[in-house]
């Protein structure tokens, strides 16, 4: 039982650490805001999307957050789920991303997201 307990605590401590890291990292990206992650294995940040980005999504026949997530996937390989599939408030845009990758991978994911978001917002300014 002691080994099981130690392993369980290590898993939960790692998830708690990544949740705190991910929440802070997302909030540090201009145009993205995220509530503290508590009790879930994913973040659901809100992303500000310009009129040009929303118009590009409309031309593609998809919701703006789906357009953002597909562009993110194509540019970086990072997979996020568009918030429009979760019944978000109209006129707001979100995406869902997991906090399960190991710490070093999570740091690389956040760096890739930060770089992508900067380029995306400049492209669709």
């Amino acid at each position: 039982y002691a080994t099981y307990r130690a392993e369980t605590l290590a898993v939960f401590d790692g998830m708690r650490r990544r949740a705190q890291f991910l929440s802070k990292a997302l909030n540090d990206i201009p145009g993205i805001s995220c509530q503290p992650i508590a009790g879930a294995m994913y973040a659901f940040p809100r992303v500000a999307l310009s009129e040009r980005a929303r118009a590009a999504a409309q031309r593609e026949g998809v919701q703006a957050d789906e357009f953002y997530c597909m562009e993110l996937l194509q540019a970086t390989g990072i997979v996020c789920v568009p918030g429009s599939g979760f019944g978000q408030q109209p006129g707001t845009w979100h995406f869902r991303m997991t906090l399960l990758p190991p710490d070093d991978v999570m740091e690389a994911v956040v760096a890739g997201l930060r770089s992508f978001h900067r380029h995306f917002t400049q492209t669709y300014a």
Side-chain angles (χ1 to χ4, degrees):
Y1 177 79
T3 301
Y4 166 80
R5 181 79 175 136
E7 290 173 352
T8 301
L9 288 174
V11 168
F12 286 121
D13 286 345
M15 290 173 60
R16 185 176 11 260
R17 184 180 57 252
R18 286 189 299 280
Q20 291 169 349
F21 168 79
L22 185 56
S23 291
K24 181 181 180 332
L26 290 169
N27 283 313
D28 287 344
I29 301 172
I32 296 180
S33 60
C34 186
Q35 296 294 317
I37 302 168
M41 294 184 290
Y42 56 86
F44 195 66
R46 182 174 180 166
V47 59
L49 298 174
S50 69
E51 180 60 39
R52 285 188 65 202
R54 294 191 309 268
Q58 188 174 23
R59 284 191 301 276
E60 295 290 323
V62 297
Q63 294 288 326
D65 54 356
E66 181 179 348
F67 179 73
Y68 181 87
C69 289
M70 291 305 296
E71 293 286 311
L72 174 64
L73 175 61
Q74 291 172 0
T76 67
I78 297 170
V79 177
C80 292
V81 179
S84 52
F86 297 97
Q88 63 194 359
Q89 186 176 20
T92 65
W93 311 107
H94 299 78
F95 59 90
R96 181 174 162 171
M97 69 184 301
T98 185
L99 58 87
L100 293 178
D103 293 349
D104 58 332
V105 174
M106 185 61 70
E107 290 172 10
V109 166
V110 168
L113 174 61
R114 182 180 295 112
S115 176
F116 165 80
H117 186 74
R118 185 180 318 113
H119 177 73
F120 184 89
T121 55
Q122 289 171 349
T123 300
Y124 295 101

